[in-house]
Amino acid sequence: MSEERDFVGKMAARSETTLHSTVCKEGILKNPIFVAPNYKCQFCSKVGEYAYVVAHMQTHEKTAVKHGDVTTYCKRCGLCGHFYRYQEWAEGLHNFDDHTILTLHLCTFLRQSVQNHTAVGRALDILEQTNQKKYPNHDSILHGYLHFEALTEHNYNFSCVHCGIHPPVVIMDLHKKGVFSMPVSDIEDPPPQFEGHVDIEEFWQSVDQEIVCRGFLQSNRENPCKVSPSYVKWAPWIGPLTRASKKVLNTEYAKLTAKKSVVEQADIDISEERLSSELMNLKVDALRKLVKECGVDSKGSKMDLLLRLREEMKTRSTYDKVFQKVWGASGGWAVIMCPCGIVNSVKFNIRAESPRDYADMLLSFKHFPNVVIYDFARGLVTHTNFREPERLPFSPFEGRVAAATPENIASAKRGELKINLSWLQIKKDPPDLNGHPATGSAEHYALYDTFHQYNTKDEKDALRLIGLVPELCGWVNSQIVEQLFSGMRKNNYFMNSLSPASHIFLMRNILHHHNEKVNQQALEDLKRVSHGDVTLDAHGKATLVHVNIPKDVDMADHCGEQCEALTMTSNLMPCRASWTLGVHHPLQEQLVNYVLDEDRPMNELIVKDGQTCLTRENFVSLGLRREMDSMGKDVYIVDLHIPPTWLLPSSCDPFLCLPVSTHNTFN
């Protein structure tokens, strides 16, 4: 124990609170507790006279485990006979199994190591080489760290402070290389009456129980709380406020059905297509070996081998064999994210990915997102609407942004079609029946991400492009999931070697800390630029509680009805007089000077209206006087919004925007 404290550094000043009775410093004797008229043992429920209890406590002393200057004791329940212990976190200690005791400083160090893509074993190697000391078995410390995370109270909300607990726009993708070892053939088929409903809370509690139970097991003993992949008891994780109920969907068992509907066949086709693309990345020797294992002729070029193997993959047994060889034992993990980079849901697939996996998560949401961005949008719509024919989750236009008419398709291909979804920025009033709480709209669309939008062969998919929606174009980064995966791939070298329970537990924990970091940074940015207190509303969105006007702004003059009238859209004209108050207004002048102060940070948030954000840079770069080179011509600068008003239907007089001295020039 003393060695461990050496390599984690000096601990914080010790609390005045004494150690719990299960952890005792060597040399500090425990006394019986006086409970009139007798005395009680501090380690169990034994009661009696003082001398009798003192003698009894000595038996506990003999069975105690000593670690340098710290001794641990365990208690035994007087009813069931089970032993139990307490964690003494007030003293900066985490007791894993009475033999491996970690300081909280070490636990947080390991947490940050994992967050920075460094395995626990590598982090311990660095500490050993730095301090020239040998530490306990690394696997024991790894289990101790997981034990620490399991006993830490994490909320796992998986929600964004900008988009809230019900994001209207989501982006989905699969991290196919994040897998765990799993004998697929050992998974039992579900009972006939199973309909795919799984208790999410019960399942994840069982995962926590396996991690915690490891601290009570002797070496090489089977864990009675072990969690193995199962079609019946295997659930995704969706935030408690985002999901509709604790019963969520996991219908992976349906991938096993022998007779496939059109929708199910589409699922297999897309999986075979992705497997084929992965086979292209294999070296010839590895591909030839795989072909031999499948009982296929291994002679010929790489393309010959691929064609034969693709034909053979039409049988499910060969498909599973190829899948396990190329993809890994499990099917990777699928995520649903908001455009801000927050993971809202994660599903650890047992088998190959298909639109079914994402439909399970989306249909488990309390509020179905308005816009879903996915690399196989057409297959997702077909599958989801096939499962819910009565309400058709993706509608209108089968999830396209416009009706699939020849005119709309041709216009979309030319880049001339624009469909405004104004409710993405301003909530519908009144909202639609069963509308989304953030947008008020009951419309649901499925669009392709920008990387895969031209891979489809169906011409109707030209109406599933992000660029058709001005409210999405330029705001939504459809590659935000790939950016997350680019970092998570650095964890594969140690994550893929963990057991199924450890893998999904630690990955959910990593994603939770990722979300917390992104949210914390967003809240700090809001507080810094808004000069006010930020809180979360009923929908989990960050809102300002109290705005502090900068000290250099005088509040002597307040805005009133006259300011509201002058700034109404109906009263605005394309001339300078329309944008001038005409009277002395100190507060407005000071606020304008504050906004246009180029000495302040250019990225400071000034205006936030729905999903639209304007920074100081946006204001400074527009509407100010700038010099311009002219080749013998007179140049007059007007605001960018003014020239369109010269056209129909406004037909405003352009001379109103130009200096009076220029009027004679154009006559």
Side-chain angles (χ1 to χ4, degrees):
M1 187 63 206
S2 59
E3 293 183 353
E4 184 182 359
R5 292 188 181 184
D6 288 337
F7 73 77
V8 298
K10 295 182 179 180
M11 295 174 54
R14 291 190 172 274
S15 170
E16 295 296 330
T17 306
T18 59
L19 289 170
H20 194 275
S21 56
T22 54
V23 182
C24 178
K25 283 187 177 181
E26 189 175 10
I28 300 180
L29 300 178
K30 292 288 184 179
N31 295 317
I33 303 173
F34 179 69
V35 181
N38 296 314
Y39 290 86
K40 180 180 178 298
C41 175
Q42 286 206 27
F43 306 116
C44 65
S45 58
K46 185 71 69 175
V47 179
E49 295 182 355
Y50 182 83
Y52 169 76
V53 175
V54 169
H56 168 75
M57 290 178 62
Q58 291 177 355
T59 62
H60 288 285
E61 296 281 352
K62 294 177 181 179
T63 59
V65 180
K66 297 184 178 181
H67 301 265
D69 62 343
V70 173
T71 304
T72 62
Y73 299 86
C74 60
K75 287 187 175 184
R76 188 170 189 173
C77 178
L79 298 177
C80 64
H82 281 85
F83 288 93
Y84 62 95
R85 70 176 73 93
Y86 293 90
Q87 296 301 324
E88 192 51 54
W89 286 9
E91 284 292 321
L93 303 175
H94 179 80
N95 184 3
F96 170 50
D97 60 0
D98 284 339
H99 299 280
T100 303
I101 300 179
L102 312 178
T103 63
L104 297 187
H105 184 89
L106 176 62
C107 291
T108 55
F109 170 78
L110 295 178
R111 173 188 291 173
Q112 296 304 322
S113 298
V114 172
Q115 290 297 311
N116 287 277
H117 320 297
T118 304
V120 170
R122 287 190 179 182
L124 294 174
D125 287 339
I126 295 172
L127 290 173
E128 287 181 339
Q129 295 175 18
T130 302
N131 295 282
Q132 298 296 312
K133 293 183 180 180
K134 183 67 176 176
Y135 303 124
N137 181 271
H138 291 185
D139 287 339
S140 297
I141 297 179
L142 169 62
H143 291 311
Y145 165 67
L146 296 178
H147 190 268
F148 162 77
E149 292 288 6
L151 293 179
T152 302
E153 188 177 0
H154 297 302
N155 53 37
Y156 293 110
N157 280 335
F158 276 48
S159 63
C160 174
V161 296
H162 285 310
C163 301
I165 56 180
H166 305 300
V169 180
V170 297
I171 308 166
M172 311 188 304
D173 206 347
L174 175 80
H175 182 46
K176 57 178 177 282
K177 295 297 184 180
V179 299
F180 49 83
S181 300
M182 177 190 66
V184 179
S185 58
D186 292 347
I187 302 179
E188 298 181 359
D189 293 341
Q193 67 274 15
F194 181 66
E195 298 181 351
H197 296 282
V198 184
D199 190 318
I200 186 174
E201 295 180 359
E202 179 183 339
F203 169 72
W204 285 99
Q205 285 176 1
S206 66
V207 174
D208 289 341
Q209 288 173 0
E210 176 181 337
I211 303 298
V212 173
C213 188
R214 293 172 184 172
F216 295 95
L217 298 176
Q218 298 178 355
S219 60
N220 300 325
R221 182 183 174 186
E222 183 72 16
N223 193 330
C225 300
K226 182 179 179 180
V227 175
S228 299
S230 166
Y231 295 120
V232 178
K233 190 177 181 180
W234 193 262
W237 178 254
I238 306 172
L241 300 177
T242 303
R243 59 181 183 254
S245 68
K246 67 177 184 178
K247 290 289 185 179
V248 298
L249 290 170
N250 184 19
T251 61
E252 281 203 76
Y253 70 93
K255 299 176 183 177
L256 303 175
T257 55
K259 189 175 182 180
K260 303 290 182 182
S261 65
V262 176
V263 179
E264 297 295 338
Q265 190 61 45
D267 290 348
I268 293 180
D269 291 342
I270 185 62
S271 299
E272 287 181 357
E273 181 181 342
R274 294 186 179 184
L275 267 181
S276 298
S277 65
E278 289 300 318
L279 288 171
M280 289 291 295
N281 298 328
L282 291 179
K283 294 183 178 179
V284 177
D285 293 339
L287 182 60
R288 201 179 302 278
K289 181 180 179 181
L290 177 59
V291 169
K292 286 183 179 179
E293 293 176 355
C294 296
V296 182
D297 185 9
S298 60
K299 298 179 181 179
S301 64
K302 183 176 182 179
M303 188 56 63
D304 293 334
L305 299 177
L306 288 172
L307 293 175
R308 293 176 197 148
L309 196 57
R310 183 177 178 84
E311 184 67 23
E312 191 68 18
M313 280 197 302
K314 292 182 178 180
T315 64
R316 193 73 205 186
S317 59
T318 304
Y319 174 83
D320 288 340
K321 183 180 295 185
V322 175
F323 172 73
Q324 293 185 40
K325 175 69 176 179
V326 177
W327 217 283
S330 63
W333 45 274
V335 297
I336 297 179
M337 299 180 65
C338 75
C340 302
I342 295 295
V343 179
N344 300 110
S345 177
V346 58
K347 185 175 187 286
F348 300 93
N349 294 337
I350 297 177
R351 289 187 171 269
E353 173 213 16
S354 81
R356 174 178 296 277
D357 301 308
Y358 300 97
D360 285 345
M361 290 188 282
L362 290 173
L363 294 175
S364 299
F365 277 27
K366 186 175 182 179
H367 295 285
F368 205 93
N370 291 115
V371 179
V372 175
I373 300 173
Y374 179 45
D375 58 9
F376 188 43
R378 173 168 46 88
L380 175 68
V381 172
T382 304
H383 173 84
T384 309
N385 285 356
F386 181 84
R387 286 174 60 174
E388 299 284 338
E390 295 182 358
R391 67 184 183 106
L392 295 178
F394 286 104
S395 61
F397 315 124
E398 295 183 343
R400 304 181 188 93
V401 296
T405 62
E407 295 78 11
N408 285 340
I409 294 174
S411 179
K413 289 182 177 180
R414 294 193 302 267
E416 299 174 355
L417 182 65
K418 297 298 178 183
I419 304 297
N420 289 96
L421 304 179
S422 57
W423 38 260
L424 285 174
Q425 296 182 346
I426 302 176
K427 184 177 179 179
K428 268 191 174 183
D429 188 18
D432 296 339
L433 180 64
N434 298 323
H436 193 281
T439 63
S441 174
E443 302 172 17
H444 304 285
Y445 302 98
L447 309 180
Y448 283 95
D449 63 70
T450 54
F451 186 74
H452 297 88
Q453 63 184 5
Y454 298 115
N455 293 352
T456 177
K457 299 177 182 179
D458 189 347
E459 63 175 9
K460 296 180 182 179
D461 286 341
L463 300 173
R464 298 189 187 276
L465 306 184
I466 295 176
L468 301 178
V469 184
E471 289 80 5
L472 295 176
C473 187
W475 167 59
V476 172
N477 177 12
S478 63
Q479 298 302 304
I480 191 71
V481 183
E482 287 296 337
Q483 294 170 7
L484 171 71
F485 292 163
S486 66
M488 294 302 168
R489 290 188 187 100
K490 301 175 184 178
N491 298 335
N492 291 345
Y493 76 95
F494 66 90
M495 289 295 300
N496 293 1
S497 62
L498 299 176
S499 66
S502 297
H503 179 96
I504 65 176
F505 172 84
L506 185 55
M507 183 51 64
R508 182 182 68 153
N509 185 266
I510 290 175
L511 293 176
H512 166 71
H513 290 298
H514 161 80
N515 287 349
E516 292 292 297
K517 181 179 179 181
V518 175
N519 277 334
Q520 185 62 34
Q521 184 62 49
L523 290 175
E524 291 178 358
D525 291 343
L526 283 175
K527 292 178 181 178
R528 184 176 66 255
V529 303
S530 62
H531 305 282
D533 297 327
V534 179
T535 187
L536 301 182
D537 62 13
H539 297 293
K541 293 185 177 182
T543 58
L544 291 177
V545 178
H546 174 67
V547 179
N548 299 317
I549 300 296
K551 295 180 179 179
D552 54 347
V553 176
D554 188 6
M555 291 298 293
D557 296 280
H558 298 272
C559 295
E561 296 180 357
Q562 73 282 2
C563 297
E564 182 179 0
L566 287 170
T567 55
M568 290 178 62
T569 307
S570 58
N571 294 334
L572 296 180
M573 295 293 291
C575 59
R576 185 175 299 277
S578 177
W579 297 90
T580 305
L581 291 174
V583 296
H584 180 61
H585 199 305
L587 178 59
Q588 287 287 343
E589 292 179 2
Q590 292 182 59
L591 286 176
V592 170
N593 292 335
Y594 173 80
V595 171
L596 301 181
D597 187 353
E598 298 188 23
D599 293 332
R600 295 180 181 271
M602 288 292 106
N603 62 349
E604 180 176 343
L605 181 64
I606 303 298
V607 175
K608 186 177 187 301
D609 183 8
Q611 302 291 348
T612 303
C613 296
L614 297 177
T615 63
R616 175 173 284 105
E617 183 179 9
N618 299 131
F619 284 92
V620 171
S621 60
L622 294 176
L624 298 180
R625 296 179 182 272
R626 291 290 184 266
E627 294 181 356
M628 177 179 292
D629 293 332
S630 174
M631 300 298 293
K633 296 182 179 180
D634 294 330
V635 177
Y636 301 95
I637 301 175
V638 297
D639 291 329
L640 188 62
H641 67 276
I642 291 179
T645 64
W646 300 341
L647 306 176
L648 294 174
S650 299
S651 300
C652 294
D653 186 359
F655 289 115
L656 296 176
C657 310
L658 301 178
V660 177
S661 59
T662 64
H663 292 184
N664 295 330
T665 305
F666 295 96
N667 289 335

